[in-house]
Each structure stands twice: as structure tokens, then as C-alpha cells.
Amino acid sequence: MDFLQSRLLPLLTLLLSSLLFFYFNNISKPSHIGCSLVPYNHYWITSKRIVTPQGVISGAVEVKGEYITSVVNGEDWRGSVKKEQVIDHGEAVVMPGLIDVHAHLDDPGRTEWEGFPSGTKSAAAGGITTLIDMPLNSFPSTVSEETLKLKIEAAEEKIYIDVGFWGGLVPENAFNASMLEGLLSAGALGLKSFMCPSGINDFPMTNASHIKEGLSVLAKYKRPLLVHSEIQQDLESNSGLKDGIDDVRSYSTYLKSRPSSWEEAAIRELLTVTKDTRAGGPAEGAHLHIVHLSDASSSLDLIKGAKSSGDSITVETCPHYLAFSAEEIPDGDTRFKCAPPIRDAANREKLWEALLEGQIDMLSSDHSPSVPELKLFDEGDFLRAWGGISSLQFVLPVTWSYGRKYGVTLEQLVSWWSERPAKLSGQELKGAIAVGKHADIVVWEPEIEFDLDENYPVYHKHPSISAYMGTRLSGKVLATFVRGNLVFKEGHHAPAACGTPILAR
């Protein structure tokens, strides 16, 4: 008997271990321990409002591991469910997670401004499942293969969502093809440049010659160049601004200091080189993307003309240009300072019109935080305060809240915040609720209203600097899934930061 026990017990133990291993790996074990707030990696998400490429359906989405494996319209999914978990979201909207192609997380080097942990937590709480981090405001700026590696190292095990990286196009590397190729080969999803001073010492501005060279290199990789399109001009002749006369606490003073002619001049110069991106051109395969457009008049007309001529060009604007107007900004409230500036109410209406008509391709946050001291709240000096709107957690409810009066649809939100940003950043597995895509999903209640006040949980490192604090919004995010992991649910984040650094291959 003892002999049999001594022989059988190890075999039974091995058999039981194998069964348990199979069970937990195939039914209820998450992809990474602590990465998800649900203890399984095969489940169904159900709702009466699921936004798919075919329209809004009532049905279910099946998730296995990182991927969506089926999307079922109606009740047919019920016959397929056995032991898998069902997460029923009732009437809540289920749609692709937002992709923010323009955010500054300031990591490494300036984590006191934001940083990957707080920035990606706030993104997850806002339904953003992927963001592409800008190459400046961190230190050093991401302008080489070596500095990109510093970014990647800083992100490891500190990001709650997927994060990709733009590299920087600056005079130092613009005429050095091997340096740019090294940066792109190391995984940068594309490049970003400024046509005016960036405010960051190691990220100097470029001109059309630099941009032309950058596009020729990008053509080989079929990746985009993002451009901050403002060119400084003589202020007195263009705006009437005079030193010592205008009140620096008045927003109108700041608005006069960066007139719309700056944007128009930059875009006009850009279009002398974007013709190279046309079919058969020397930079065919490259693409130019104009970031944070605020001028809805001459600048937009130039972009429309370039598109009709076959230039490979797109343009974004940001929620703060759609939510606020210059007339509403209080004296000294430097939370509203950004570049290019928020313009008047008539311009805001034209931006909405262009967005709804498809002339503006997509939206981004341009989340640009800082420490509160740099906003100079006590002085309220718009000319000296650090510029940038802190907004990452709020962009979905802001777009929805201010867009309702224009009849914005759920499908339009997906186009502006998921489908087109996925295409720009080369993320073929993201941007839609469809079979084979990453299970990047946001669940939210469009009808729920809330006040952004001191009682509302905000995950930005410095909530006080956000221009949205004190507003009332509609559209509460309930849950956010990234590659199948439930990373945020009703005020709680997953214990571990398991987002994936995205590198171009």
C-alpha cells in the first residue's frame, strides 16, 4: 500500500497541477497578474449600444486575451456562451478606446510636471487606450536613437495604457539622414517639428528646408511628420501690440501677440514642400499632419486646397478650441493660455463646421501640463506664463458635451478619436470594434452629468492647472479595457501598470 501511494501520489499531483494550469490559462487567468480588474482573459461585453464600423448595434463583443474574436448583433451570442464571463453594460455605450496622437507626458526629466504613471492613469480614466507621446517637454528631447531609448526605458512598467513615441525633427538632425533613420529604425512612429520657438532649449525650430529633408527620409518608412504651424511675424504691423501699453492680464493682449496670420504664414510655407508627397513625387509615402489648428479661416482654406491637389496632408484641432472662446476667458486666468491661442466665438463656430464637414480630420488633446508655479496664477501674466491646456482625462466628455448642440454622433466620435488617429499613427490593430483588433474598449454613459470640482477624482498630477476644472460635463467613463485588460473601472485602476510601449517596425 505504501509502495502504491509513493508511486501514485506524485502522478496524481502532476495530473492535478496540469489540469489547474490548463484551466487557469484558458479560462480565468489574466494575461498578467495584476494587470486587470477582472480575473479572466476570455469574456463577453454586452450592451444595447455598441459602436462598430457597421453602425451602432445591440449585441456582444467577445474578447480572448488581447483581441476581439467576435462581434455579434442581437441575441445570437447567448448560444455561444458557456463558462466565459459576461460583463453586461446595459444601455451604456461601448466603443473603441480613444487614441490621442498628441500628448506631452514630460517623462523622463520633468516628471514633476506629469510623468508616465499619472498621465496614463488619467488617460485610462478618460477612456483613452493609446496615446502617442510628444518628443519635447521631457528632458532630453527625443531627437536621436539614444534619447528614444531613454523614453522607452522610462515607460517600462509605468504605463497603464499603450504608449507610442514621436521623434523630433530639429536642425541638428534634419540634414543628417543616418541620424533620422536611426531614430525611425529604433521605433519612432514619425517625427514632429516646430516652425516657431518651442520654448524648450533643446528643441529648436525648423523651416521649410528642414521639413523637406525630413519628408524625404520619412518617405522610405511611410510615416508622418507632425508640424506646429506658426511663423513669427512683426507684431506691431500685424496686431498693433505695443510693449508697456497693453494689459498683460488681459487675454486679448495674448491673442494679439499670436494672430491667425502666424498660422497662415506657416501653412503657406509648408505647402511649398508638401507637393513632394503627391503620387509620383520625390517624397511619396511621407505624410504631413498639421497639429492643433486654431485658425478656421485662411489657414483652413489653404489646407483644403492642398488636399484637393493631392498632397498627403491631414489636420487636427483640439477640444479646447471647440469648447472655449476668447471672449469668455477671465483676466489673469492663465489656465487658458496655449499656442496657437484660443480665438473668438465666430472662429469656434467655423471650427465646428469644418470638423463636421470632414475638412478637419481628427481631434487630439495636446495635453501640455506643467507645475502650477509656471502658470503664474498670482500675477496672471498671459505673456510670461507657461502655455498649455491640461486636459487628458476630460477630452471624451468635453467633445460630447460641447458637440451635442451640433448633433455630434457616436460614429463621428469614433472617427475623430479612434479610426483616423489609428491610421495616422500606423496602428492597424487599433481604432475599431472588429474581429482581430486589439480589445481596446471604452464604456461610458453619455447621459450622466458631473461637475469637475474638488470632489471629482482627477488623476492629473496637477488638477488645478486645468482650464476645465469648474465646468459641468456630460459623459461619464465607466470602464476602460486595454488589450483585453480592464485597466479602469469606476474610480479604480488595475494594480499593475501593464501598458505596452508601441514601437514602429
Side-chain angles (χ1 to χ4, degrees), residues 235-256:
L235 287 179
E236 288 199 22
S237 64
N238 282 277
S239 66
L241 186 69
K242 296 181 180 179
D243 291 341
I245 297 178
D246 295 84
D247 180 6
V248 296
R249 290 180 51 84
S250 170
Y251 184 76
S252 64
T253 298
Y254 176 62
L255 185 57
K256 285 190 290 184

Side-chain angles (χ1 to χ4, degrees), residues 125-186:
I128 296 170
T129 53
T130 302
L131 67 78
I132 318 299
D133 190 39
M134 281 293 166
L136 70 161
N137 293 12
S138 54
F139 183 80
S141 292
T142 310
V143 296
S144 65
E145 180 179 354
E146 293 73 26
T147 51
L148 176 59
K149 287 178 179 177
L150 294 177
K151 272 278 188 186
I152 298 166
E153 290 170 4
E156 291 287 352
E157 299 183 0
K158 293 181 181 178
I159 52 176
Y160 287 81
I161 65 170
D162 288 357
V163 176
F165 312 94
W166 301 121
L169 177 71
V170 293
E172 176 190 356
N173 61 23
F175 296 103
N176 187 334
S178 63
M179 190 174 180
L180 285 181
E181 288 177 1
L183 178 56
L184 294 166
S185 297

Side-chain angles (χ1 to χ4, degrees), residues 19-52:
L19 289 171
L20 288 171
F21 179 85
F22 177 84
Y23 178 82
F24 284 110
N25 274 275
N26 289 276
I27 296 179
S28 61
K29 187 178 179 182
S31 55
H32 299 93
I33 295 172
C35 294
S36 180
L37 293 170
V38 292
Y40 33 77
N41 68 353
H42 184 192
Y43 55 89
W44 294 77
I45 299 173
T46 66
S47 170
K48 295 181 179 178
R49 290 188 287 181
I50 301 173
V51 189
T52 75

Side-chain angles (χ1 to χ4, degrees), residues 37 42 81 100 114 153 176 211 294 337 339 353 359 394 495:
L37 293 170
H42 184 192
V81 175
D100 187 357
E114 182 70 90
E153 290 170 4
N176 187 334
I211 289 167
S294 77
K337 179 181 178 179
E353 181 181 338
Q359 297 162 4
F394 315 132

Side-chain angles (χ1 to χ4, degrees), residues 204-495:
M205 67 186 222
T206 56
N207 57 34
S209 297
H210 301 120
I211 289 167
K212 184 180 180 70
E213 293 297 321
L215 288 173
S216 68
V217 174
L218 286 163
K220 304 174 187 177
Y221 294 82
K222 300 191 184 310
R223 296 181 204 168
L225 172 64
L226 288 70
V227 181
H228 180 126
S229 303
E230 288 183 289
I231 288 180
Q232 284 183 313
Q233 297 178 300
D234 179 18
L235 287 179
E236 288 199 22
S237 64
N238 282 277
S239 66
L241 186 69
K242 296 181 180 179
D243 291 341
I245 297 178
D246 295 84
D247 180 6
V248 296
R249 290 180 51 84
S250 170
Y251 184 76
S252 64
T253 298
Y254 176 62
L255 185 57
K256 285 190 290 184
S257 77
R258 295 186 92 111
S260 59
S261 59
W262 284 29
E263 289 188 83
E264 180 186 351
I267 292 168
R268 194 176 297 279
E269 183 168 322
L270 276 176
L271 299 189
T272 66
V273 296
T274 56
K275 61 180 182 295
D276 290 351
T277 64
R278 298 174 189 172
E284 181 182 0
H287 177 82
L288 190 130
H289 180 73
I290 294 171
V291 298
H292 52 45
L293 181 79
S294 77
D295 172 34
S297 296
S298 300
S299 300
L300 188 59
D301 289 339
L302 289 170
I303 296 167
K304 287 160 57 178
K307 286 182 176 182
S308 64
S309 296
D311 295 14
S312 184
I313 185 170
T314 49
V315 59
E316 70 185 45
T317 192
C318 304
H320 43 273
Y321 299 122
L322 300 170
F324 306 127
S325 68
E327 298 92 332
E328 301 166 343
I329 297 174
D331 287 352
D333 196 344
T334 55
R335 296 178 305 158
F336 291 88
K337 179 181 178 179
C338 59
I342 295 164
R343 305 197 188 279
D344 60 31
N347 183 80
R348 177 179 60 186
E349 293 301 308
K350 289 181 180 178
L351 283 175
W352 272 112
E353 181 181 338
L355 182 64
L356 293 166
E357 291 179 355
Q359 297 162 4
I360 294 174
D361 300 279
M362 67 192 76
L363 297 175
S364 74
S365 72
D366 189 16
H367 177 65
S368 186
S370 70
V371 291
E373 299 80 58
L374 290 178
K375 284 291 188 180
L376 304 180
F377 289 137
D378 291 340
E379 301 171 44
D381 186 335
F382 275 106
L383 297 183
R384 292 178 51 244
W386 183 263
I389 303 292
S390 183
S391 60
L392 200 54
Q393 186 176 331
F394 315 132
V395 291
L396 174 56
V398 166
T399 308
W400 178 251
S401 299
Y402 289 91
R404 283 185 303 172
K405 79 171 188 174
Y406 300 95
V408 166
T409 67
L410 297 174
E411 292 94 333
Q412 286 172 317
L413 288 181
V414 169
S415 176
W416 301 332
W417 277 113
S418 302
E419 292 174 357
R420 293 176 181 175
K423 183 177 180 181
L424 177 73
S425 56
Q427 301 308 300
E428 296 178 356
L429 294 178
K430 298 183 182 294
I433 293 183
V435 173
K437 300 285 190 179
H438 283 154
D440 294 349
I441 295 168
V442 57
V443 182
W444 62 292
E445 289 274 13
E447 293 79 20
I448 292 182
E449 295 187 350
F450 56 93
D451 293 308
L452 273 181
D453 55 24
E454 65 275 4
N455 299 314
Y456 191 84
V458 177
Y459 300 97
H460 297 164
K461 184 163 284 188
H462 303 292
S464 66
I465 70 171
S466 177
Y468 293 108
M469 296 306 292
T471 62
R472 185 170 181 81
L473 300 174
S474 297
K476 184 178 181 181
V477 173
L478 304 179
T480 304
F481 299 80
V482 178
R483 297 190 189 226
N485 289 321
L486 180 57
V487 299
F488 175 81
K489 180 182 179 183
E490 297 177 359
H492 300 281
H493 289 83

